[in-house]
Amino acid sequence: MPITYDIEVVKNNNKYRVSDNPFTLNDVIVTSFDVQGAGYNREFNTVERLNGRFLNATTEEKKVINMKLRYSVSRPSYVSHLKSEIQNLFSGQFYLRELSSSDNTIEFLGFNDPDKTFELDYTDGRQIFVGLANAISFDSTQTSGEIELEFETIDLPYFESIAYNTELSSNPNMEFWGLEDDVAWNENDDYRKNKFYNIQDGYYYYLGDVTIDQFNQNYYVEIVLGKDTKDFTFYIGNHDLMRITGLNLKAGDKIKYNGLQTFRNGISIDSTSAGTHTSGAQPVLEPGANNFHFNQEVQSIYFKHKLYFR
């Protein structure tokens, strides 16, 4: 049967296709792959003498991925071994990525013609980080049949881009970016800019559809100061003002926010033991245009991050 769809498993810097890998060889193919939307956990409060309940917090917990495989081996003694090798292929934590053919047309084949083969390309520029969630179970007396597997996301319940946004400026490679990502292919387009020079106010465009506001998302923002100051302020969008006081900041100093800490020239300045004070949250990037503002003209601001998608 010609293969028109496959899943790539990316683990420990190795890439394996489910239909062709050192563990299961060519004994299994993917027949179904379904990534379910993330489930929501909601916390509610009640107020005395008021009807109803009041939403306190909502979190997206995880995505569940269902995969169906079809297996076929030549003899029953191979089935138990195949079960073990499927376990090896999907052990630990890994990324999954979809591949498919762009044209599934099969021309008429003569009796002696070789089977049609399809060139598979990445479906888009996204991957999802998962672990196997169910026990691998299928009848060891049958030399062919179907296997149902369930995975769940580890860490974030989102797809993430293969590449960083910075690669978009120099490498609009379809291996990294899918057509549905709404990428502007003009190299000078504002949607592709990630570094801005000699600026006090501006806009940065984030192409993902999930807000970047957690320390376990892969991103940072780096700013090179334009002049000496003892009070530096910065905001993005309608989020908290970020402020650094208590330091003699110099023109050319590099201020870096990595989602968890704030650095000056590579040294954390979050500690207040020396009189340094940083206030406000880390930078937050919303889908779409993000306006930013400083209380001085800076030499540059640089955004580097993965893109996150539901």
Side-chain angles (χ1 to χ4, degrees):
M1 178 179 178
I3 296 174
T4 60
Y5 185 88
D6 211 343
I7 295 295
E8 184 177 77
V9 180
V10 184
K11 180 170 58 172
N12 299 328
N13 296 319
N14 295 311
K15 296 181 179 181
Y16 310 106
R17 291 193 180 187
V18 171
S19 66
D20 183 8
N21 63 79
F23 303 99
T24 62
L25 305 178
N26 307 113
D27 293 337
V28 297
I29 61 172
V30 179
T31 60
S32 176
F33 185 74
D34 177 25
V35 180
Q36 299 178 13
Y40 290 90
N41 284 334
R42 294 184 173 92
E43 297 179 7
F44 296 90
N45 289 332
T46 58
V47 179
E48 187 177 355
R49 292 184 295 176
L50 289 181
N51 296 322
R53 49 184 190 159
F54 298 87
L55 184 63
N56 183 43
T58 302
T59 57
E60 294 178 78
E61 182 182 16
K62 64 180 180 180
K63 285 185 185 293
V64 174
I65 298 95
N66 295 306
M67 182 190 297
K68 289 184 180 179
L69 307 177
R70 180 175 295 125
Y71 75 94
S72 179
V73 295
S74 59
R75 60 184 67 179
S77 60
Y78 292 162
V79 181
S80 293
H81 176 70
L82 177 62
K83 189 178 295 186
S84 176
E85 291 306 295
I86 292 174
Q87 186 76 53
N88 287 332
L89 175 61
F90 295 119
S91 64
Q93 302 169 7
F94 43 86
Y95 288 98
L96 296 179
R97 193 174 181 193
E98 298 179 74
L99 302 108
S100 62
S101 64
S102 58
D103 182 4
N104 295 345
T105 303
I106 301 178
E107 301 87 356
F108 175 79
L109 298 176
F111 182 76
N112 293 319
D113 291 338
D115 291 338
K116 171 73 174 181
T117 60
F118 293 93
E119 187 71 27
L120 301 186
D121 295 315
Y122 292 113
T123 303
D124 53 34
R126 308 174 190 188
Q127 59 188 1
I128 192 163
F129 191 53
V130 304
L132 186 64
N134 71 329
I136 295 176
S137 177
F138 56 97
D139 190 350
S140 296
T141 68
Q142 303 297 314
T143 58
S144 63
E146 281 204 339
I147 307 164
E148 295 189 9
L149 301 179
E150 182 178 290
F151 306 89
E152 61 184 18
T153 49
I154 305 296
D155 202 9
L156 295 168
Y158 309 121
F159 290 93
E160 71 171 51
S161 60
I162 303 300
Y164 286 92
N165 66 310
T166 51
E167 297 189 59
L168 186 58
S169 297
S170 58
N171 187 11
N173 189 321
M174 286 307 297
E175 180 179 333
F176 294 156
W177 311 98
L179 287 174
E180 68 280 5
D181 291 338
D182 195 26
V183 171
W185 296 111
N186 179 356
E187 290 187 10
N188 298 317
D189 196 286
D190 287 343
Y191 282 14
R192 292 178 59 179
K193 290 180 66 175
N194 56 72
K195 193 166 188 177
F196 303 81
Y197 296 94
N198 302 317
I199 193 168
Q200 186 167 357
D201 299 273
Y203 284 86
Y204 172 70
Y205 197 89
Y206 167 51
L207 290 167
D209 60 28
V210 173
T211 299
I212 296 180
D213 60 356
Q214 296 186 186
F215 70 88
N216 56 348
Q217 290 171 299
N218 197 338
Y219 84 107
Y220 71 81
V221 178
E222 184 178 272
I223 301 155
V224 179
L225 299 183
K227 64 180 182 179
D228 298 354
T229 184
K230 293 183 178 180
D231 187 358
F232 174 68
T233 61
F234 164 46
Y235 71 74
I236 294 182
N238 296 318
H239 298 281
D240 291 346
L241 180 75
M242 289 158 280
R243 189 172 191 177
I244 302 172
T245 58
L247 272 180
N248 291 319
L249 299 171
K250 302 295 184 181
D253 280 352
K254 291 184 179 180
I255 306 299
K256 181 176 178 179
Y257 299 88
N258 70 354
L260 184 63
Q261 292 181 283
T262 306
F263 298 86
R264 174 204 188 192
N265 299 330
I267 299 173
S268 174
I269 56 174
D270 288 322
S271 172
T272 59
S273 59
T276 304
H277 181 63
T278 58
S279 62
Q282 292 280 307
V284 173
L285 296 179
E286 300 282 359
N290 293 263
N291 67 299
F292 56 85
H293 172 77
F294 305 100
N295 65 342
Q296 64 163 263
E297 182 177 291
V298 299
Q299 293 183 30
S300 64
I301 178 171
Y302 177 59
F303 298 89
K304 183 175 182 179
H305 56 79
K306 292 292 188 75
L307 280 65
Y308 296 91
F309 304 92
R310 288 184 173 85

